[in-house]
């Protein structure tokens, strides 16, 4: 397994804090998802990599039946707790690549993955999703990544100096990063898989204010920060606290970008 995919197991270490630390996806994203796919309750949906149920809860509340597959046992347990009030939601602990599918042979109207699809084996994920969908069913994939619209908070360019000092900057990082409208979608990848016809791409940008404690709690849910050595992490987090303490309100603004890509099964 490539190094970046080995990191997918680290998220289980953040199972308790993930739900509160990570941002909710925009309501408009869910509205567009249902509009594009034509999904209506009580359709049966399949979620890949549900985590603690961040993207499961809004669709469960809407009345959908959902099978949610999660690799991490601690995350799956958190999802069961968060979704305990929804009897039509079933959380399965398994890697999506190895899960045999429903015993009753159910085929889903929609397979979706929120901030999880990149961690699934690219050699099998599209074929597996197509296999589990009914004819004409849809695959929807979205994420939530750091966005840099015009006027983004200069804190991030400044703290990048610390990442470079620690050797934790990513190859190819450039400042300023690409704007949200340049965030890549997966339509070409869906097309190249041979299993899906891309039908829609939507982008969403929003900002959220964080205290030092809130921002560090967020960083503790990111694979790279979880895997970072404690000495480096203490140095980074100390700098975050020091620099935010110098601000009048002690807060930063982090922007988020979500790119929704939807494909129809061929």
């Amino acid at each position: 397994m490539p190094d970046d995919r080995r990191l997918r197991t680290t998220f289980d270490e953040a199972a308790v804090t993930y739900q509160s630390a990570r941002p909710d996806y925009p309501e408009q994203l869910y509205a567009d998802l249902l509009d594009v796919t034509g999904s209506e309750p009580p359709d049966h949906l399949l979620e890949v990599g549900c985590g603690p149920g961040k993207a499961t809860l809004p669709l469960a509340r809407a009345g959908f039946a959902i099978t949610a597959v999660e690799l991490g046992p601690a995350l799956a347990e958190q999802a069961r707790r968060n979704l305990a009030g929804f009897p039509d939601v079933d959380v399965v602990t398994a890697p999506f690549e190895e899960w045999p599918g429903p015993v009753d042979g159910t085929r889903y109207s929609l397979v979706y993955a929120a901030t999880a699809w990149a961690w699934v084996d690219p050699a099998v994920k599209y074929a597996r999703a197509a296999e589990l969908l009914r004819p004409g069913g849809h695959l929807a994939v979205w994420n939530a990544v750091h966005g840099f619209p015009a006027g983004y908070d200069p804190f991030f360019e400044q703290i990048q100096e610390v990442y470079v000092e620690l050797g934790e900057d990513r190859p190819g990082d450039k400042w300023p990063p690409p704007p949200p409208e340049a965030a890549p979608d997966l339509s070409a990848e869906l097309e190249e898989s041979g299993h899906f016809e891309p039908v829609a791409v939507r982008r969403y940008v929003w900002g959220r204010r964080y205290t030092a404690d809130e921002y560090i709690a967020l960083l503790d849910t990111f694979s790279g920060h979880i895997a970072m050595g404690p000495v480096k992490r203490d140095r980074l987090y100390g700098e975050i606290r020091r620099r935010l303490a110098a601000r009048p309100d002690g807060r930063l603004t982090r922007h988020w970008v979500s790119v929704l890509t939807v494909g129809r099964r061929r």
Side-chain angles (χ1 to χ4, degrees), residues 134-150:
R134 68 190 186 193
H138 291 84
L139 170 66
V141 179
W142 68 91
N143 58 1
V145 298
H146 197 167
F148 294 87

Side-chain angles (χ1 to χ4, degrees), residues 193-256:
S193 77
H195 296 285
F196 292 94
E197 172 192 4
V199 294
V201 174
R202 303 284 188 274
R203 289 178 173 80
Y204 312 86
V205 183
W206 73 101
R208 182 171 168 180
R209 298 283 283 168
Y210 292 89
T211 65
D213 285 344
E214 290 167 342
Y215 188 60
I216 288 169
L218 172 68
L219 294 181
D220 278 339
T221 69
F222 293 158
S223 59
H225 292 78
I226 296 170
M228 192 182 295
V231 173
K232 288 184 176 182
R233 194 163 50 240
D234 287 349
R235 163 71 174 145
L236 173 63
Y237 291 179
E239 278 299 300
I240 290 172
R241 293 187 187 281
R242 184 183 70 80
R243 295 178 187 221
L244 288 183
R247 291 187 164 194
D249 67 352
R251 295 173 181 265
L252 60 82
T253 298
R254 176 179 170 122
H255 287 89
W256 293 89

